[in-house]
Amino acid sequence: MQKKGGMFISFEGSEGAGKSTQIRLLEEYLLAQGRIVRVVREPGGTSLGEDVRQILKHAAYGASLGAEAELLLFAASRAQLVREVVSPALDQGQMVLSDRFTDSSVVYQGWGRELSVDFIEVLNRFATRGTVPDLTVLLDLPVEEGLLRARQRGGKADRMESMENAFYERVRAGYLNLAAADPGRFLVMDARLPQAAIAAKIREEIRKREESEHA
Ligand SMILES: Nc1ncnc2c1ncn2[C@@H]1O[C@H](COP(=O)(O)OP(=O)(O)OP(=O)(O)O)[C@@H](O)[C@H]1O
Ligand SMILES: [Mg+2]
């Protein structure tokens, strides 16, 4: 879809599912192939985005932040990220790996916080000016397992990591629902598989897609 062989790959899944791990492994692999790789995270990736990240994750008033304001802050961060970083990189044929993207809003603010999914989809299209990942890797993990990993990792739980179990169950169901509705874009992986096995499958999927593109 993008010019000169770039690809836009987003990584989705709940806290502790292994997104950052897989992005790091894929980045290493692609760099070794001589590709230019741009890794971005949400919220963040621009000056505005990193400020928004601070607000969403750590600001003193975070606990009283309403769902609507939260959604719009994520959207603002994403809009700037696409305009400043993602679109220019794809135009230059680079590989862009995004730690979360539009699906996170649908799932966390829509399914999780129960705002209108239809509205969120419209907002996503507006913020990204229609930019859709070529491939979305969904790392699917049972809720209990995810919380366990988060605890093992230690540190203080941030605002998004402090919700009740039912919230995370809705998030997981939301992700699986999105993936089922768009199987061409999603690669769903069992996040309990060994890291190397997941990484190998992701590489294979990219290779397959690039081959069919050049066929
Ligand atoms: N396939 C795997 N099997 C077992 N443990 C894993 C696997 N992948 C990652 N982990 C471990 O789980 C923890 C969370 O991984 P990681 O930080 O990559 O998740 P994440 O999805 O980026 O989480 P967050 O949303 O909080 O940023 C880490 O300790 C990591 O080493
Ligand atoms: Mg991470």
Side-chain angles (χ1 to χ4, degrees):
M1 203 172 109
Q2 271 78 38
K3 286 169 259 169
K4 290 188 254 161
M7 224 178 143
F8 182 24
I9 307 172
S10 62
F11 290 75
E12 297 281 358
S14 54
E15 289 71 14
K19 299 177 295 297
S20 302
T21 302
Q22 290 303 324
I23 287 173
R24 189 170 40 74
L25 294 173
L26 183 59
E27 181 186 23
E28 274 169 23
Y29 169 80
L30 292 170
L31 288 174
Q33 286 193 324
R35 316 278 297 248
I36 300 176
V37 186
R38 211 41 224 259
V39 176
V40 298
R41 67 174 182 181
E42 283 213 339
T46 65
S47 301
L48 171 85
E50 292 299 327
D51 284 352
V52 168
R53 185 181 186 88
Q54 270 305 113
I55 293 171
L56 285 169
K57 289 181 98 76
H58 305 294
Y61 53 83
S64 63
L65 195 65
E68 297 81 5
E70 179 187 77
L71 172 68
L72 295 169
L73 284 168
F74 274 112
S77 170
R78 182 170 303 134
Q80 198 63 22
L81 182 68
V82 168
R83 186 178 279 272
E84 266 186 44
V85 182
V86 175
S87 293
L90 292 174
D91 285 344
Q92 291 172 36
Q94 299 176 4
M95 302 293 283
V96 178
L97 313 184
S98 187
D99 197 330
R100 300 190 175 281
F101 199 58
T102 43
D103 301 314
S104 281
S105 285
V106 173
V107 164
Y108 282 82
Q109 279 72 50
W111 288 69
R113 301 216 195 276
E114 299 178 288
L115 296 179
S116 161
V117 166
D118 288 344
F119 173 71
I120 295 170
E121 282 172 349
V122 171
L123 182 64
N124 278 341
R125 275 197 295 279
F126 174 76
T128 62
R129 292 176 296 167
T131 304
V132 177
D134 297 297
L135 172 66
T136 297
V137 177
L138 172 56
L139 296 161
D140 177 54
L141 193 63
V143 169
E144 287 303 329
E145 182 84 15
L147 295 176
L148 200 68
R149 282 192 196 176
R151 274 198 295 275
Q152 279 165 358
R153 192 166 43 180
K156 198 167 140 285
D158 71 29
R159 206 175 53 85
M160 294 302 290
E161 290 168 352
S162 316
M163 301 294 294
E164 81 283 1
N165 266 22
F167 176 88
Y168 296 112
E169 293 290 358
R170 290 199 299 275
V171 164
R172 185 180 188 211
Y175 270 134
L176 291 173
N177 182 277
L178 282 180
D182 198 352
R185 173 161 71 89
F186 278 88
L187 172 67
V188 183
M189 295 293 311
D190 182 341
R192 293 169 299 183
L193 291 171
Q195 294 180 8
I198 298 171
K201 182 80 178 113
I202 294 171
R203 295 197 294 263
E204 185 195 319
E205 185 69 26
I206 293 169
R207 194 175 42 75
K208 260 198 328 213
R209 280 161 190 258
E210 292 191 328
E211 270 172 19
S212 71
E213 206 174 286
H214 299 128

